[in-house]
RNA sequence: GCCCGCUUGGUGGAACUGGUAGACACAAGGGACUUAAAAUCCCUUGGCCCGAAAGGGCCGUGCCGGUUCGAGUCCGGCAGCGGGCACCA
């Protein structure tokens, strides 16, 4: 054993050993409790980054720890391999998306392997592989047959230059992010998942996800957006030609109907469409609304514009009363019925609108203590609950009662009904792109939309595609789309859209259970492994990915592919990795390795010696060059250093600041432990007192076990360091050799999940049997967890005045006598008598003077 | 605008369900070893005050107030920072 730890040899040696012995290969074993640890699989963008290192380190600690605790652990890895960057690379670099993707996977796999993760690589999968997406097509068809997939029309952001549909985030100031052309709203026939069929269930079931962060549950709750209200039907006066004579609105405030002074329709409401045909001004107004779009700057968004159709609607409660019908840009077709009634006295937005267009305001709710005769609305609507006024039969009721009464009346009159609305919309999954899972449907002139028969799956992506023309390469392909109709045998064409990549990631956790099965999932395997016991990833997926996966699992349940509803029993969202940024005087961003720190604390550019502006620490990003490449760190310090640093200092849910000094500190600790084990196990015949050391050892085992269970890895790191400190001290004092050995063994086992290579090397060096990663977790002996004496705090009037050592569980009179005899206590009492004593055994005694 | 979270030394952070604030590190300063450097080891390190020293006192967890024998922890208000959603009827 040499005195300096050679991480290069050790890390590759143990990685080879684990692989050779297949120690992380998982198989179903009903005799043992299972534990499925999963980290969100990466997009193969090229290289792994520090965010991956953090994510996979956290998961690996859990996996190794649970394995040591006797669980049958499944810990797989795969690739979220479809997506737009591959097509961009194809166009810009003339590389086929498949080659680009598989090359990146090879690079990243090699980088991940160098981290020493306890992964079952035999289960590796890539979503772009036909062996994966074939089964996704099967699920899509099964969902279709179960009524969870349908074809509908949707407005999309259409880029007229690139001939493609853009995601909202690709529309910047109303223009395509790449072409710069003004984006058009187009109505296209698209595929949807019927996620709204589960709105209420997805909401209700959040309550059962006890091991999910509250934050994520709340975000999903808000996203689903349940609200109670009513549909109200208004009769349109003087029915316009070819139009409905009724308009249905949704409202959460049926109580304020008497305050309604106008109706507003969405620019995309069918009624609006009908009117616009004969009204060029309205048509222009609708076009104007479309131009403003949804992603306009906040200032633009704040402007509310309307168009008076000149039509009137009859008030459902007040015979003879009518209100004008407007079209307004702020009414969304996608929410409610696409039409509202405006009550300016009770809604700020409506109030702003009527002030602009000079419509009337009728106050209908006032604060409890206000006077009905003098209560008036100025520039602020009264939106709180209160007492009803100017509302006929509702007058005097409170808001809740008025809502109930108004709904009852609507239902009795047949002019409306109580209902529940959700903000959640169905999931649009069609993408006009090449690098995605083909949608297994055929369009036939005579049969319509026909599913591809199961036996013909997969519908495989053609490889010979070109990216030099704008638009979807599948559309341009000379032959691919032409196909015989599976139903009538006549000429038909394939659906050339591909699925949103969120579909790929909505079931990969299930596929991992039987990754090579000839069906999407093997029931026995998913029944055994699912749900995922611990899922770990970034909070940026808190809504879409996690919600889609929850929906998809329900769909798989309904179609008989699984028997559970919730895929992730436990969820942990980690913080991001940050670094300060550096900027030269001329504005260039500099990489951390391009700067030097001077002794006086100043920072200069290495190449020029000129001073550098140090920016605040923020999320690592290539554009600001505040990045550190994991590969470089592993080359210099090894994987264990990177892992240890990732776990130290910052709690995993918070952002972590990467610092060179912190990495150095981690590296120093590894060498310190190395020397410690070498030195301490050398002294074989010492017979000193060892009670302190045993207490430290078993206390550490106990604490670290609990800390790992609670995801408090940074605290576990601190306790491991403490144990190392104590061993060094006690061994230096000549503690009993057998006890030192016990402590060192515990230390090695405790650090094993965090620094597995160092752990194996140390384990071998002290003559441990087998592999460390197969050793059981150490057990704390309870008899060393409690001391005979305890130090307790002595307070006078709540202020600490002394600490005294007492027998454990000493009775109050004894504690009181000792406490009062303390000089500092006497001084603080200033001769006053004892009025009261609060005694918490083994903790504190507080004397009230 | 609405909803949520956070705020503790020079820095990252610790403190179980209200009970000795600052664990464990980083940085800094001092010292040892060395021809020197690296590495390593030891000591000091929240602020202020009294004292030659030993020791002692006061203040202190963003700010203001409250509950309690006792508050970093609970409650109310405010500020700052961060996140989510955003014309949601």
């Amino acid at each position: 054993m040499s005195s300096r730890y050679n991480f290069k040899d050790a890390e590759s040696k143990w990685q080879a050993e684990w692989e050779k012995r297949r120690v992380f290969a998982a198989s179903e074993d009903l005799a043992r409790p299972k534990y499925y640890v999963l980290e969100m699989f990466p997009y193969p963008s090229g290289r792994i980054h520090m965010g991956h290192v953090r994510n996979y380190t956290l998961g690996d600690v859990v996996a190794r720890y649970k394995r040591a605790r006797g669980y049958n652990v499944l810990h797989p890895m795969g690739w979220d391999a479809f997506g737009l960057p591959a097509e961009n690379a194809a166009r810009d670099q003339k590389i086929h998306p498949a080659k680009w993707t598989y090359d990146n996977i090879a690079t990243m796999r090699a980088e991940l392997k160098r981290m020493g993760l306890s992964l079952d690589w035999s289960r590796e999968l890539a979503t772009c592989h036909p062996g994966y997406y074939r089964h996704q097509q099967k699920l899509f068809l099964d969902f279709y047959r179960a009524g969870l997939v349908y074809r509908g029309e949707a407005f999309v952001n259409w880029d007229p230059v690139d001939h493609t549909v853009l995601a909202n985030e690709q529309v910047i100031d109303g223009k395509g992010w790449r072409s710069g052309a003004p984006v058009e709203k187009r109505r296209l026939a698209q595929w949807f998942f019927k996620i709204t069929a589960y709105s209420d269930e997805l909401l209700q079931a959040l309550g059962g996800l006890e091991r999910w962060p509250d934050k994520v549950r709340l975000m999903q709750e808000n996203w689903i957006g349940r609200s109670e209200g009513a549909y109200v039907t208004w009769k349109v006066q003087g029915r316009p030609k070819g139009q409905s004579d009724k308009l249905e609105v949704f409202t959460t405030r049926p109580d304020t109907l008497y305050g309604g002074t106008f109706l507003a329709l969405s620019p995309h409401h069918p009624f609006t469409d009908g009117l616009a045909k004969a009204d060029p001004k309205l048509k222009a107004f609708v076009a104007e609304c479309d131009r403003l779009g949804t992603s306009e700057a906040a200032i633009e968004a704040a402007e509310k514009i309307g168009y008076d159709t000149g039509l009137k609607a009859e008030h459902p409660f007040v015979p003879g009363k009518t209100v004008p019908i407007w079209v307004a840009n702020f009414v969304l077709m996608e929410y409610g019925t696409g039409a509202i009634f405006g009550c300016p006295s009770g809604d700020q937005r409506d109030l702003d609108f009527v002030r602009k267009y000079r419509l009337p305001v009728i106050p209908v709710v006032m604060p409890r203590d206000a006077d009905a005769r003098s209560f008036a609305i100025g520039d602020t609507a009264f939106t709180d609950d209160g007492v009803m006024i100017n509302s006929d039969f509702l007058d005097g009721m409170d808001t809740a009662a008025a809502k109930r009464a108004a709904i009852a009346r609507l239902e009795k009159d047949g002019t409306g009904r109580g209902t529940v609305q959700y903000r959640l919309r169905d999931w649009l999954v069609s993408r006009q792109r090449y690098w995605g899972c083909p949608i297994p449907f055929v369009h036939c002139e005579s049969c319509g939309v026909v599913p591809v028969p199961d036996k013909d799956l997969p519908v495989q992506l053609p490889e010979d595609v070109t990216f030099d023309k704008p638009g979807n390469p599948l559309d341009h392909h000379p032959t691919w789309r032409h196909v015989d109709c599976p139903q009538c045998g006549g000429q038909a064409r394939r659906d050339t859209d591909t699925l949103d990549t969120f579909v790929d990631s909505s079931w990969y956790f299930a596929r991992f259970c039987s990754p090579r099965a000839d069906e999407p999932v093997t029931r026995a395997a998913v029944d055994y492994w699912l749900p995922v016991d611990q899922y770990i990833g970034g909070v940026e997926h808190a809504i879409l990915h996690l919600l889609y996966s929850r929906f998809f699992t329900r769909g798989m349940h309904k179609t008989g592919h699984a028997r559970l509803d919730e895929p992730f029993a436990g969820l942990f969202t980690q913080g991001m990795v940050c670094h300060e940024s550096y900027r030269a005087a001329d504005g260039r961003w500099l990489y951390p390795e391009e700067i030097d720190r001077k002794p006086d604390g100043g920072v200069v550019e290495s190449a020029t010696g000129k001073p550098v502006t140090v920016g605040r620490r923020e999320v690592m990003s290539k554009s600001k060059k505040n990045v550190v490449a994991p590969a470089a760190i592993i080359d210099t310090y090894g994987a264990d250093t990177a892992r240890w640093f990732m776990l130290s200092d910052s709690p995993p849910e918070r952002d972590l600041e990467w610092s060179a000094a912190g990495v150095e500190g981690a590296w120093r600790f590894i060498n310190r432990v190395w020397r410690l084990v070498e030195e301490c196990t050398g002294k074989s015949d010492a017979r000193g007192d060892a009670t302190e050391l045993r207490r430290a050892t078993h206390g550490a085992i106990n604490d670290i076990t609990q800390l790992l269970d609670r995801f408090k890895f940074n605290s576990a790191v601190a306790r491991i360091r403490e144990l190392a400190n104590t061993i060094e001290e006690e061994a230096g004092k000549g503690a009993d050799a057998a006890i030192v050995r016990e402590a060192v063994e515990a230390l090695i086992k405790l650090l094993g999940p965090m620094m597995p290579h160092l752990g194996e090397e140390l384990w071998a060096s002290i003559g441990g049997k087998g592999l460390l990663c197969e050793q059981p977790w150490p057990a704390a002996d309870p008899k060393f967890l409690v001391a005979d004496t305890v130090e307790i705090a002595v307070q006078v009037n709540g202020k600490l005045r002394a600490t005294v050592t007492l027998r454990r569980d000493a009775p109050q009179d004894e504690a009181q006598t000792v406490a009062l005899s303390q000089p500092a206590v006497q001084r603080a009492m200033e001769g006053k008598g004892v009025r009261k004593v609060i005694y918490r055994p083994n903790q504190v005694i507080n004397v009230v003077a």
Side-chain angles (χ1 to χ4, degrees):
Chain A
M1 195 164 167
S2 72
S3 63
R4 194 154 167 108
Y5 174 55
N6 184 336
F7 71 85
K8 282 198 168 134
D9 292 351
E11 293 191 349
S12 54
K13 176 173 77 186
W14 293 112
Q15 284 164 21
E17 193 67 21
W18 295 327
E19 198 165 326
K20 193 178 99 197
R21 300 205 206 173
R22 300 176 49 80
V23 283
F24 305 126
S27 58
E28 288 96 88
D29 174 0
L30 294 168
R32 279 192 295 160
K34 67 92 186 181
Y35 199 90
Y36 185 177
V37 192
L38 184 67
E39 300 99 64
M40 291 180 183
F41 66 164
Y43 179 77
S45 55
R47 312 294 297 263
I48 65 168
H49 55 67
M50 282 300 173
H52 293 128
V53 174
R54 193 174 195 200
N55 193 179
Y56 301 136
T57 298
L58 295 173
D60 200 48
V61 172
V62 174
R64 289 176 180 269
Y65 167 67
K66 290 291 179 183
R67 187 172 284 115
R69 293 294 302 268
Y71 288 92
N72 185 29
V73 171
L74 173 60
H75 187 209
M77 180 57 70
W79 308 96
D80 189 13
F82 273 138
L84 200 52
E87 282 187 66
N88 294 339
R91 192 197 47 228
D92 299 342
Q93 303 165 40
K94 307 281 177 222
I95 308 172
H96 194 277
K99 179 172 168 42
W100 184 84
T101 303
Y102 284 114
D103 285 354
N104 285 346
I105 287 175
T107 307
M108 291 174 71
R109 183 196 299 116
E111 288 183 330
L112 285 186
K113 286 198 170 181
R114 292 189 60 204
M115 283 182 63
L117 304 170
S118 62
L119 291 165
D120 181 356
W121 281 104
S122 73
R123 290 174 186 257
E124 181 181 0
L125 58 81
T127 57
C128 65
H129 194 281
Y132 182 84
Y133 70 69
R134 170 190 162 193
H135 301 292
Q136 187 162 308
Q137 291 171 340
K138 164 76 168 137
L139 290 173
F140 191 77
L141 292 170
D142 286 349
F143 277 33
Y144 175 74
R145 289 185 273 261
L148 294 175
V149 165
Y150 69 96
R151 208 160 157 73
E153 291 218 316
F155 277 101
V156 295
N157 301 308
W158 180 259
D159 187 318
V161 172
D162 280 352
H163 292 276
T164 189
V165 168
L166 301 176
N168 279 332
E169 59 270 22
Q170 295 166 337
V171 181
I172 298 149
D173 289 336
K175 294 179 181 122
W177 66 315
R178 194 171 282 279
S179 70
V183 168
E184 297 170 12
K185 288 271 176 192
R186 277 207 185 180
R187 210 180 255 279
L188 281 187
Q190 307 269 288
W191 290 101
F192 289 85
F193 276 120
K194 206 171 175 54
I195 190 171
T196 55
Y198 293 94
S199 298
D200 198 52
E201 217 211 294
L202 288 167
L203 181 66
Q204 296 303 324
L206 285 171
L209 298 175
E210 284 161 19
R211 291 199 296 116
W212 278 42
D214 290 343
K215 178 175 63 173
V216 174
R217 289 195 288 183
L218 188 75
M219 282 164 71
Q220 293 216 348
E221 194 180 315
N222 290 338
W223 186 262
I224 295 169
R226 182 182 194 275
S227 55
E228 292 181 5
Y231 291 125
V232 183
T233 304
W234 299 62
K235 205 158 178 295
V236 181
Q237 263 195 339
R239 177 181 191 161
K241 235 193 308 175
Q243 292 278 58
S244 162
D245 65 342
K246 285 184 182 130
L247 283 172
E248 191 173 55
V249 306
F250 171 71
T251 179
T252 56
R253 297 296 302 272
D255 54 307
T256 64
L257 264 168
Y258 283 96
T261 57
F262 67 97
L263 248 50
L265 306 178
S266 163
H268 300 120
H269 196 282
F271 196 91
T272 312
D273 286 349
L275 292 179
K277 281 184 192 132
D279 183 347
K281 280 194 198 146
L282 176 55
K283 204 168 182 175
F285 175 79
V286 171
E288 166 75 14
C289 292
D290 284 349
R291 247 196 316 284
L292 292 175
T294 47
S295 56
E296 276 295 296
I299 326 136
E300 284 293 318
E303 195 196 339
K304 294 158 188 54
I305 55 173
Y307 178 88
D308 187 358
T309 65
L311 295 166
K312 307 272 189 235
E314 292 171 16
H315 195 283
F317 285 167
V318 190
K321 174 176 174 168
T322 62
V323 301
I325 302 172
W326 285 63
V327 176
N329 66 331
F330 60 84
V331 182
L332 303 177
M333 192 57 221
E334 294 81 5
Y335 186 76
T337 62
I340 61 159
F341 83 87
C343 174
S345 61
D347 183 295
Q348 190 59 45
R349 187 194 47 206
D350 293 346
L351 184 64
D352 294 344
F353 188 77
V354 303
R355 292 291 186 230
K356 179 166 178 178
Y357 293 107
R358 298 173 190 282
L359 294 165
V361 177
I362 304 169
V364 283
V365 189
M366 66 172 191
R368 254 164 252 289
D369 51 3
D371 175 12
R373 279 165 306 184
S374 59
F375 181 70
I377 296 290
D379 287 330
T380 310
F382 180 73
T383 55
D384 294 344
D385 287 2
V387 181
M388 303 307 301
I389 51 172
N390 301 326
S391 297
D392 191 59
F393 72 102
L394 300 173
D395 280 348
M397 292 185 190
D398 64 35
T399 300
K403 278 183 185 169
R404 285 192 298 272
I407 290 173
R409 167 80 179 271
L410 288 167
E411 289 176 349
K412 187 172 133 260
D413 294 352
T415 48
R417 61 198 159 90
T419 188
V420 174
Q421 270 300 318
Y422 296 90
R423 182 185 168 277
L424 183 68
R425 298 173 199 168
D426 276 337
W427 176 14
L428 193 165
V429 291
S430 301
R431 297 288 182 272
Q432 292 67 38
R433 304 253 153 70
Y434 166 72
W435 196 233
C437 173
I439 296 179
F441 275 87
V442 166
H443 301 271
C444 170
E445 291 275 326
S446 41
C447 308
V449 178
V450 182
V452 173
D454 287 357
K455 67 173 173 52
D456 294 340
L457 297 182
V459 175
Q460 217 164 321
L461 283 174
E463 285 175 24
D464 51 334
V465 284
T466 53
F467 296 90
D468 41 18
K469 268 187 281 185
N472 183 353
L474 291 178
D475 274 336
H476 306 147
H477 193 277
T479 56
W480 186 78
R481 57 188 300 187
H482 303 297
V483 63
D484 294 341
C485 171
Q487 211 158 294
C488 69
Q491 283 204 350
R493 56 177 184 83
R494 289 192 188 284
D495 200 310
T496 54
D497 286 352
T498 52
L499 291 173
D500 179 6
T501 56
F502 273 119
V503 181
D504 310 341
S505 54
S506 289
W507 70 288
Y508 77 108
F509 47 87
R511 182 69 185 166
F512 272 137
C513 300
S514 53
R516 308 288 174 251
D518 206 27
E519 52 195 330
V521 293
T522 304
R523 275 299 297 268
V526 293
D527 287 351
Y528 178 77
W529 289 115
L530 290 183
V532 174
D533 296 278
Q534 187 63 61
Y535 196 35
I536 306 170
V539 74
E540 65 272 19
H541 292 115
I543 297 176
L544 296 183
H545 164 58
L546 291 167
L547 192 65
Y548 292 155
S549 298
R550 295 179 62 218
F551 159 73
F552 218 86
T553 304
R554 284 168 170 79
M556 290 177 73
H557 191 173
K558 188 174 183 188
T559 53
H561 292 286
R563 64 171 180 200
L564 81 169
D565 290 328
E566 288 296 340
F568 311 120
L571 173 70
F572 188 88
T573 53
Q574 99 240 6
M576 291 180 286
V577 182
C578 300
H579 197 287
E580 52 187 16
S581 58
Y582 308 103
R583 208 162 194 180
D586 56 12
R588 280 173 302 123
W589 296 102
L590 299 171
Y591 286 109
E593 59 269 24
E594 293 177 314
I595 60 115
D596 280 323
R597 271 173 204 285
K598 294 200 295 189
D600 64 0
V603 177
V604 297
E605 182 177 1
S606 312
T608 61
K610 286 184 186 158
V612 162
T613 311
V614 178
R616 69 189 182 95
R617 55 171 182 274
E618 51 195 321
V619 181
M620 284 189 178
S621 83
K622 280 179 196 159
S623 62
K624 292 191 177 157
K625 295 193 175 176
N626 60 337
V627 290
V628 176
I633 296 299
I634 293 176
D635 283 342
T636 316
Y637 296 101
D640 284 341
T641 299
R643 294 170 59 121
W644 185 249
F645 173 71
M646 281 293 173
L647 298 164
S648 314
D649 295 346
S650 290
E653 68 277 11
R654 278 205 226 167
D655 286 352
L656 172 142
E657 195 201 351
W658 183 272
S659 78
V663 177
E664 284 283 346
W667 169 236
R668 275 202 298 273
F669 180 69
I670 288 179
N671 286 295
R672 206 172 133 225
V673 174
W674 179 257
R675 280 193 307 273
L676 172 72
V677 172
E678 184 182 41
E679 286 160 17
C680 293
T681 48
K683 297 172 189 159
S684 60
D685 53 356
R687 282 293 159 86
D689 176 54
T691 329
E692 277 311 307
L693 183 54
R694 295 206 85 179
R695 219 169 254 146
T697 301
H698 289 272
I701 293 171
N702 186 57
D703 291 355
I704 289 164
T705 303
Q706 287 177 22
L707 290 166
L708 293 184
D709 281 332
R710 291 164 53 215
F711 259 77
K712 303 213 139 214
F713 300 125
N714 56 323
S715 294
V717 164
R719 288 295 275 118
I720 288 174
R721 298 186 100 121
E722 250 183 311
L723 177 61
N725 291 346
T726 310
I727 295 174
E728 202 166 39
E729 252 168 61
E730 294 294 323
K733 284 195 257 169
D736 187 289
I739 306 306
V740 172
R741 163 97 193 182
E742 177 192 56
V744 166
E745 266 187 40
L747 177 70
I748 294 170
K749 287 180 177 175
L750 293 170
L751 61 78
M754 303 185 179
M755 298 191 284
H757 311 91
L758 176 69
E760 294 288 1
E761 194 70 14
L762 291 172
W763 182 248
S765 81
I766 64 164
K769 295 250 182 333
L771 290 172
L772 176 66
C773 65
E774 295 181 306
Q775 300 305 311
W777 193 246
D781 186 335
K783 75 171 177 263
F784 296 109
L785 297 181
V786 284
D788 302 334
T789 58
V790 288
E791 197 176 62
I792 76 161
V794 181
Q795 298 177 341
V796 177
N797 296 330
K799 279 200 161 198
L800 182 74
R801 293 298 171 184
T803 57
V804 296
T805 304
L806 294 176
R807 295 183 297 144
R808 189 158 52 84
D809 299 327
Q812 176 165 342
D813 51 0
E814 186 181 324
Q816 194 169 329
T817 310
V818 176
L820 290 175
S821 69
Q822 296 295 306
V825 173
Q826 290 295 329
R827 243 179 289 134
M829 300 273 298
E830 293 169 333
K832 287 184 217 147
V834 175
R835 282 203 295 164
K836 191 175 170 187
V837 174
I838 291 103
Y839 179 51
R840 300 272 297 216
N842 309 322
Q843 262 180 352
V844 68
I845 181 163
N846 186 10
V847 180
V848 184

